[in-house]
Amino acid sequence: MTTNNINDVVMTPEYVAKDIIEFFKPSGTILEPCRGTGSFYDQLPKGSLWCEITDGVDFFNFYDRVDWIVTNPPYSIFDKWLDKSLIIADQIVFLIPVNKILSSLKKLKKIYRFGGIEHIRYYGTGRDIGFPFGFPCGAVYIKKGYVGPMNISFFQPLR
């Protein structure tokens, strides 16, 4: 599934991708489903898998099971991206405007039927990390079968 929305092409700064990988420590079979310029992929363990629509490898044509998905997904088709991720992965980390997850009770119920949100790592506004918008951004960690509180941590101290 392609998206022609120019706002979906938002490359993750390397330092943010590095922090996410170091913080969540993905292991096993890991997929970066929208590799882009490689901010996440280049820091994942060797042998990690990738998709990138501009290189002809469409995430929606990827059917293998994976332990982890770590990515900054396209926002205009986020709901479809989430649905696909919940089918093929046990643990998911999305760098997103957090309102993408928290704005819909239907979406939250779907996530909590799967498991739950274990953690949100807050990075400030999109502008704080070089994105072209001001919505609050975080790495949202969704874990299959998770039962427990949702935790939050801050990449940078609040001002």
Side-chain angles (χ1 to χ4, degrees):
M1 168 179 286
T2 60
T3 173
N4 295 325
N5 189 329
I6 191 69
N7 294 323
D8 283 341
V9 182
V10 179
M11 297 302 160
T12 304
E14 246 180 68
Y15 74 94
V16 173
K18 183 177 194 261
D19 181 71
I20 289 170
I21 302 289
E22 288 176 357
F23 186 84
F24 292 104
K25 298 177 181 16
S27 62
T29 306
I30 306 165
L31 172 66
E32 207 308 19
C34 43
R35 184 183 62 182
T37 57
S39 296
F40 285 109
Y41 183 76
D42 292 348
Q43 298 180 62
L44 290 170
K46 294 228 184 276
S48 294
L49 306 171
W50 62 270
C51 299
E52 175 50 51
I53 193 72
T54 61
D55 290 333
V57 184
D58 189 337
F59 173 57
F60 291 100
N61 293 328
F62 184 95
Y63 298 102
D64 295 342
R65 295 260 331 137
V66 296
D67 298 310
W68 285 81
I69 286 177
V70 181
T71 197
N72 173 1
Y75 309 139
S76 72
I77 56 171
F78 177 75
D79 290 357
K80 291 180 173 128
W81 203 270
L82 174 64
D83 290 346
K84 173 73 176 189
S85 299
L86 293 173
I87 291 169
I88 67 168
D90 293 333
Q91 298 178 82
I92 302 160
V93 177
F94 287 145
L95 176 62
I96 54 173
V98 292
N99 65 312
K100 286 290 184 185
I101 289 283
L102 302 175
S103 64
S104 163
L105 183 57
K106 180 179 175 185
K107 201 177 312 180
L108 282 170
K109 285 182 178 182
K110 182 185 306 183
I111 290 167
Y112 278 91
R113 280 193 299 273
F114 173 82
I117 299 171
E118 183 176 316
H119 198 95
I120 297 176
R121 182 124 170 105
Y122 181 72
Y123 288 92
T125 71
R127 286 189 188 90
D128 291 337
I129 57 174
F131 290 174
F133 53 79
F135 297 111
C137 287
V140 178
Y141 175 35
I142 302 166
K143 186 174 181 180
K144 187 173 190 172
Y146 178 70
V147 177
M150 181 182 71
N151 297 296
I152 189 165
S153 61
F154 299 91
F155 176 69
Q156 297 175 349
L158 292 175
R159 294 180 189 134

